[in-house]
């Protein structure tokens, strides 16, 4: 292998190495999710008859869903190594991961009375 190819591979390996998310990312995602939820709760159904009023709730829904999904992924990914060690096989790991995703999503989704 030539020196140039080895340098390229080393650079590629360095560029694609895993990066830990910032420590305050989870808090930021929680705040975004809560703000979007509050924005959606403040809207009245009567106001939605006019399409000009749809922009803010749609934007709040997109932000809320995106931040909530990212938060679930971040939390589930943080516990991946523990789940992998406790799993007996790939199917067990997939089941544990799905259970963890459902549990985290349940923490984020608003409770309806």
């Amino acid at each position: 292998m030539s020196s140039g190819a080895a340098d390229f591979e080393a650079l590629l390996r360095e560029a694609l190495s895993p990066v830990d998310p910032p420590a305050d990312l989870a808090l930021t995602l929680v705040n975004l999710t809560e703000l979007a939820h509050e924005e959606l709760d403040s809207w009245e159904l009567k106001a939605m008859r006019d399409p000009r009023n749809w922009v803010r709730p749609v934007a709040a829904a997109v932000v809320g869903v995106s931040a909530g999904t990212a938060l679930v992924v971040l939390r589930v990914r943080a516990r991946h190594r523990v789940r992998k060690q406790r799993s007996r096989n790939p199917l067990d790991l997939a089941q544990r991961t799905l259970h963890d995703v459902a549990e985290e999503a349940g923490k984020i989704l608003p409770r309806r009375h």
Side-chain angles (χ1 to χ4, degrees):
M1 186 179 333
S2 69
S3 174
D7 291 341
F8 178 74
E9 285 182 24
L11 288 172
L12 192 58
R13 229 180 268 112
E14 184 180 333
L16 298 177
S17 65
V19 177
D20 290 330
D24 62 342
L25 180 61
L27 181 60
T28 302
L29 292 172
V30 167
N31 290 338
L32 282 173
T33 304
E34 289 174 355
L35 288 171
H37 179 63
E38 290 171 10
E39 178 69 28
L40 288 172
D41 275 350
S42 70
W43 281 92
E44 294 184 19
L45 196 54
K46 288 186 278 185
M48 295 305 292
R49 289 185 184 154
D50 185 1
R52 293 175 290 182
N53 294 335
W54 294 359
V55 174
R56 286 183 68 179
V58 168
V62 168
V63 168
V65 168
S66 300
T69 303
L71 185 60
V72 168
V73 169
L74 188 66
R75 288 178 176 172
V76 169
R77 183 67 186 145
R79 291 190 298 271
H80 175 72
R81 187 172 290 138
V82 173
R83 278 193 316 277
K84 191 172 182 180
Q85 290 172 350
R86 292 180 181 170
S87 299
R88 296 180 300 271
N89 55 45
L91 180 60
D92 187 36
L93 176 61
Q95 289 173 337
R96 288 175 187 262
T97 302
L98 286 175
H99 181 278
D100 204 15
V101 167
E103 186 177 305
E104 287 300 328
K107 291 178 185 177
I108 293 173
L109 290 174
R111 302 283 183 240
R112 297 291 176 198
H113 305 289

